Amino acid sequence: MFNEPLCLHFEKVPAFLAVAEIGSLSQAAKVMAISQAALSQSMKKLEDSLGVTLFIRSRSGIKLTAEGETLFQEGKKIIEQVELVGSQIRKGESEVLKRIQIGTHEALAIHFWPEVIESFKAKNPNYLISIMSGRIDQVIKQLLNGDLDMAVTVRPEPARGIQTRTLYEENLCFFESDNRKHRWKKEDLAKTPILTDNQAHLTQEKSVIKTLGEVGLFSSSYFGLNSFEAAARLAEKGVGIALLPERIVKGPQSRLKLRPVQIPGIPKNVFKHEVCYSVREGGQGQSKIKPILEFLKGLN
């Protein structure tokens, strides 16, 4: 293996990004209209020039190594910036586009941000919103490190150097598959998984587990999932009952086949879902994110 500057082989980065996003060399080759052998050889040369392994090949596809993940994340940013510069040159734009990087979680990325981005861009054409999803602690760490301009998540744990404010609040409700034909009996519920994001308890006055336990429900599936989206999909397949924010099921982006279900002994609207925005203290980058902050505050 060699160890050469990336700039000498940067023309191979777009192909690498395509392979990483698609997860398959053969499928990426079809999309790019080149032979798989040529693409594989190009990726091997890129790895050799950098002196690292970028992904591990298997029958199920490819998996990025730590070095590959770094190139994937940073490579996307560089390519986006290059494309922006090209767009500005072609259009003769005098004002530089401002890029705002926002950290959020998967459910919000799917059910909240599409409409927001479309509406914001219509009013602020010189801004580019870039969304990165992850767990709350990961997003806040990226914000602290300066990798993000702001974060929109369920209320995070207090962190030094981070200022957090409530953006909106909604109910967490129980939903079941539309295909279920029978009503739940108490003895069935005691054995039924309650599916939700394992951080759904963060903004509750009383633990979700404790509340459910008080009415005789217990399941090893509590809080074993990494996202509301996973809980919704499992409930849709009839695996259990999902505890979800209403926006996920009833919002304009939703295609979920779920319906509300009332858990005996638990009042409606007992669980709340508090979505907040977080920024770094000290005014770092505040001027750049001011337009999106004002836009978000005006939504509710």
Side-chain angles (χ1 to χ4, degrees):
M1 286 189 174
F2 310 103
N3 194 353
E4 299 177 339
L6 178 60
C7 61
L8 297 180
H9 300 274
F10 193 72
E11 78 284 353
K12 299 180 180 68
V13 172
F16 166 77
L17 294 178
V19 173
E21 288 178 343
I22 295 172
S24 166
L25 276 165
S26 60
Q27 292 301 316
K30 290 180 181 179
V31 171
M32 299 171 66
I34 62 175
S35 70
Q36 183 175 343
L39 180 58
S40 181
Q41 184 179 24
S42 179
M43 294 300 95
K44 185 66 168 59
K45 287 182 179 179
L46 181 60
E47 289 180 319
D48 287 344
S49 67
L50 295 174
V52 298
T53 298
L54 296 173
F55 46 73
I56 299 170
R57 301 160 179 82
S58 68
R59 290 182 178 179
S60 60
I62 61 102
K63 180 179 180 181
L64 293 179
T65 62
E67 293 82 3
E69 184 63 34
T70 297
L71 180 57
F72 179 65
Q73 297 297 337
E74 299 303 320
K76 285 197 299 183
K77 296 178 188 178
I78 296 171
I79 294 297
E80 285 179 4
Q81 192 60 42
V82 170
E83 290 177 349
L84 283 176
V85 172
S87 176
Q88 291 169 357
I89 292 173
R90 286 191 298 272
K91 294 180 181 179
E93 295 176 352
S94 59
E95 185 175 353
V96 177
L97 291 178
K98 297 177 182 179
R99 185 168 182 260
I100 302 176
Q101 298 184 92
I102 300 174
T104 192
H105 17 96
E106 183 182 359
L108 286 172
I110 296 171
H111 299 281
F112 174 75
W113 281 108
E115 269 194 298
V116 170
I117 292 174
E118 184 177 359
S119 299
F120 178 77
K121 286 180 67 177
K123 297 179 180 180
N124 301 271
N126 289 314
Y127 280 82
L128 174 67
I129 302 296
S130 178
I131 298 294
M132 299 180 183
S133 64
R135 303 299 296 161
I136 297 174
D137 56 342
Q138 296 171 339
V139 169
I140 295 302
K141 183 178 180 180
Q142 288 179 301
L143 181 61
L144 275 169
N145 291 340
D147 298 327
L148 299 171
D149 297 307
M150 66 178 294
V152 176
T153 66
V154 171
R155 178 172 289 280
E157 294 290 338
R160 181 177 297 178
I162 296 293
Q163 182 184 70
T164 296
R165 296 286 185 271
T166 299
L167 187 59
Y168 71 85
E169 194 176 73
E170 64 178 320
N171 295 318
L172 282 174
C173 300
F174 293 100
F175 295 91
E176 65 177 350
S177 170
D178 270 347
N179 294 324
R180 183 173 173 80
K181 297 179 181 179
H182 305 290
R183 290 190 175 184
W184 293 100
K185 297 179 181 179
K186 188 67 177 286
E187 56 268 28
D188 296 331
L189 286 171
K191 303 173 185 177
T192 300
I194 304 297
L195 310 165
T196 192
D197 188 307
N198 60 15
Q199 293 186 330
H201 64 284
L202 290 181
T203 56
Q204 309 307 317
E205 292 183 4
K206 185 166 62 174
S207 165
V208 175
I209 295 177
K210 185 175 180 180
T211 302
L212 294 173
E214 288 175 353
V215 296
L217 300 182
F218 178 80
S219 167
S220 60
S221 295
Y222 287 151
F223 309 105
L225 302 168
N226 285 328
S227 71
F228 285 121
E229 188 69 15
R233 295 300 179 184
L234 286 172
E236 196 174 37
K237 297 296 183 181
V239 174
I241 296 175
L243 180 61
L244 305 168
E246 289 181 302
R247 187 186 296 263
I248 287 181
V249 181
K250 300 179 180 180
Q253 301 297 323
S254 177
R255 299 292 184 270
L256 294 169
K257 297 178 181 179
L258 296 172
R259 65 187 176 200
V261 59
Q262 183 63 37
I263 301 293
I266 298 181
K268 291 183 179 179
N269 307 334
V270 68
F271 299 126
K272 298 293 183 182
H273 184 58
E274 187 181 1
V275 174
C276 303
Y277 68 87
S278 301
V279 296
R280 292 189 297 278
E281 290 181 344
Q284 300 177 30
Q286 294 286 332
S287 59
K288 183 169 71 169
I289 64 175
K290 185 178 179 181
I292 187 64
L293 272 180
E294 292 179 348
F295 184 85
L296 291 174
K297 291 175 184 177
L299 292 177
N300 291 281

